DNA sequence: TATTGTTATACTCTATAACTATA
DNA sequence: TATAGTTATAGAGTATAACAATA
């Protein structure tokens, strides 16, 4: 018997739980998971192309288009053709977009903190530090394009 | 700007990476992700019903049937009608089943340890302790039946 | 009538391919 | 000809519904 369960066996269900926590909060702000992901993705570097944005948030470029349409319609993002290359679209957050994003994220973090409060201060610190390190390391590595859940034999 | 990224934003991609690490290892042992999950699920309490097993590993009862068929054909599990209630099937690992499971798991843990070796001893300890605590807490809570990735608005 | 296991069907999500427009 | 964006289609993966056997 191993000294610990597989990491994936612990982390994947935990990820699902965290998403289950996020979903109702996002819905209450009129956001889908992908819409929220887009708002987060635009925060870091204000303008980009849709493909780059899609890749940075682990999505297919075709997949986020309805989301972008919706966010634009609701005034949360702007999407203007790049004068220098009119094929590309310059994306950025509007103040309203930033506001929903921040409000939703604050609510999410609050719920997450409740979850983390079950841990000792030391463990919580180690957990968050480790998570951020592993996460950074990921973003440096090849951005694995959403592998299939499993393959049939 | 928040003091940390959303937990889900860090954990979900990490989970995907861990699954991507597992997949080729499992394939090399002729196991799918669900097959491995079944072998793991049978370890803890040797005999059960298929529904209970499915629920305990976060699967739908209809989803694991082809997997059970395959594992049985290959002699990794036994599936016999319960004499006390012939509707139910008693499931258990065979020695061969336990062997593939242990071999695969050892290989997986080895790769995971490489990943964890990027962390300081303190962070690694905190990370694993926190993970196990949160994981235990999960198994006590309602076993969220695989929520949809996101809902369309 | 309710439950276990099973099969068949429908639905959701995702990726691939094909099209338009710019370059 | 190549690339950004878009649309339409096809493919996985999943859950729901319907069925047979047993209780």
């Amino acid at each position: 018997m191993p000294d610990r369960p597989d990491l994936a066996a612990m982390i994947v269900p935990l990820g699902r739980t965290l998403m289950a926590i996020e979903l109702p909060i996002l819905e209450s702000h009129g956001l889908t998971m992908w819409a929220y992901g887009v708002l987060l993705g635009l925060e870091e570097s204000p303008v980009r192309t849709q493909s780059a944005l899609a890749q940075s948030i682990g999505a297919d470029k075709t997949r986020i288009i309805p989301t972008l349409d919706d966010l634009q319609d609701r005034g949360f993002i702007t999407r203007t053709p790049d004068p220098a290359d009119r094929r590309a679209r310059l994306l950025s957050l509007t103040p309203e977009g930033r506001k929903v994003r921040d409000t939703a994220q604050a609510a999410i973090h609050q719920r997450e903190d409740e979850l983390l409060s079950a841990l000792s201060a030391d463990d919580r610190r180690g957990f968050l530090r480790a998570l951020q390190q592993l996460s950074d390391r990921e973003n440096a590595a090849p951005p694995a394009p959403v592998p299939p859940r499993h393959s049939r034999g």
Side-chain angles (χ1 to χ4, degrees), chain A residues 38-136:
Chain A
V38 164
L39 296 182
L40 287 176
L42 286 177
E43 178 62 11
E44 313 211 343
S45 49
V47 296
R48 260 181 303 196
T49 77
Q50 295 183 186
S51 313
L53 172 64
Q55 189 177 353
S56 78
I57 65 175
D60 190 278
K61 66 171 180 174
T62 68
R63 212 156 66 184
I64 61 170
I65 290 179
T67 300
L68 294 177
D69 291 343
D70 180 57
L71 289 174
Q72 185 178 22
D73 287 349
R74 293 160 68 199
F76 290 158
I77 65 170
T78 62
R79 182 160 55 152
T80 59
D82 183 345
D85 181 349
R86 303 226 312 279
R87 291 174 302 184
R89 303 276 175 274
L90 263 37
L91 302 168
S92 63
L93 277 182
T94 65
E96 292 78 23
R98 191 179 310 273
K99 191 175 150 195
V100 260
R101 187 190 81 84
D102 290 346
T103 310
Q105 190 171 42
I108 287 169
H109 280 204
Q110 188 179 335
R111 289 283 289 103
E112 288 180 346
D113 286 340
E114 287 174 31
L115 208 98
L116 293 177
S117 70
L119 306 174
S120 76
D122 272 0
D123 286 351
R124 186 166 54 240
R125 187 163 34 242
F127 181 65
L128 288 174
R129 281 170 49 89
L131 214 48
Q132 298 212 31
Q133 277 183 258
L134 294 173
S135 198
D136 290 348

